[in-house]
Amino acid sequence: MSFTNESEASISSISPVFTRTSTTESPLTSPDGSSFDVKSICSILIQIAYRAGDMIVAADPSVDDSDTKNNSSDRVTATDKAVEAMIYESLKAAFPSFDFLGEETFKEGQKLTDAPTFVVDPVDGTLNFIHGFPNVAISLALTVARKPVVGVIYNPFRRDLFTAVKGKGAHLTRFDGRKTALPIKKTPAPLTSLNDCLVAVEWGNQRNGSNWDLRTSVHKKLLSSKDEGGAMVHSIRSNGSAALDFCYVAAGWFDAFWEAGVWIWDVCAGCIILQEAGGLLASANPGDWAPELEGRCYFAVRGAPEDGQKKIVEEVWGLMDGKTFTYPVRK
Ligand code: IPD
């Protein structure tokens, strides 16, 4: 299988698959009664992800054209903007009536609605991209009624493609074309204790205040020995892309990913990939088993019997001493 050939598929040749009939293979009905073929939409998102991947790999990360957003660790590059522009043009041409919510074009006050909406992060892991660390992904999702129904996440450096369609499972397609259903282990081991887990965390770019204190205190407690009041997890990992962290939990490579402060575009595609792989999605904040997509607090646990998944969530919540993350509703 040649990824180059696939990625060279002309975006202009992508035809709209939106249809008001329900004769398609995987029809989904949106709140206004329209139906469309989510599997075809997934295929188109894959083509767009490959095209975006070519742009990212061709960009020279040694040329630092990045700019700061909120602070020196919150950055945007010319590539982020160019890739999002390509994705926007491609999706608008194919699906003119669908809404679009992208990291680089997000406007304060923009909110996810019930309408079919593409949620896009053109480069998740921008700091990795700037430093040449090859854990970088394009993250593309379609939501309907504010829930993700398709997710595509592609790391163009490793050529790992993670996909999911609602009700059709999640898959990883590797550089050589091998396609595997997720999780990778067909019968994942039960989760019995946080003590046995490999946990993904990120550090975010907000480095002061109560959210920072809570984040770092939980990271310390995850690692600390039991006699110091910690969970003594196997270890923690921080890879710099929340989108890929979700995929790695979906694959079963990480047992869990606990994260707050990221945005809907970082996690939307990852949420459906996780859930279609049998993973559990809760909030990073205690007590919330049904987090809002735009709520900025997430806890992903890999596929396993549900009682064990919930035990892991409750163990981490127990390390938070009743404290919670708080974020302004809008950027
Ligand atoms: C970042 C990544 C990272 C997370 C940051 C995000 P971006 O996204 O998802 O894992 O810790 O908070 O901003 O900016 O590279 O798209």
Side-chain angles (χ1 to χ4, degrees), residues 27-73:
L28 189 109
T29 305
S30 77
D32 72 357
S34 314
S35 101
F36 44 87
D37 180 357
V38 273
K39 266 185 152 177
S40 302
I41 291 176
C42 184
S43 301
I44 290 172
L45 291 181
I46 291 169
Q47 289 180 59
I48 292 172
Y50 285 152
R51 170 64 62 89
D54 285 351
M55 291 172 73
I56 291 169
V57 170
D60 183 351
S62 66
V63 179
D64 186 358
D65 55 13
S66 66
D67 216 339
T68 53
K69 286 179 170 175
N70 294 315
N71 61 42
S72 59
S73 72

Side-chain angles (χ1 to χ4, degrees), residues 69 73-75 80 103-104 121-128 202-205 215 239-243 245 257 259-263 265-266:
K69 286 179 170 175
S73 72
D74 188 9
R75 306 191 70 99
D80 293 69
E103 175 171 16
E104 309 311 335
D121 190 341
V123 181
D124 189 59
T126 300
L127 281 175
N128 286 346
E202 296 291 344
W203 299 92
N205 47 48
R215 179 190 291 275
N239 289 299
S241 161
D245 287 322
F257 172 44
E259 169 67 324
V262 287
W263 296 87
W265 44 80
D266 298 310

Side-chain angles (χ1 to χ4, degrees), residues 68-90:
T68 53
K69 286 179 170 175
N70 294 315
N71 61 42
S72 59
S73 72
D74 188 9
R75 306 191 70 99
V76 59
T77 71
T79 306
D80 293 69
K81 292 177 188 167
V83 171
E84 181 158 322
M86 181 279 288
I87 294 170
Y88 176 83
E89 293 303 329
S90 305

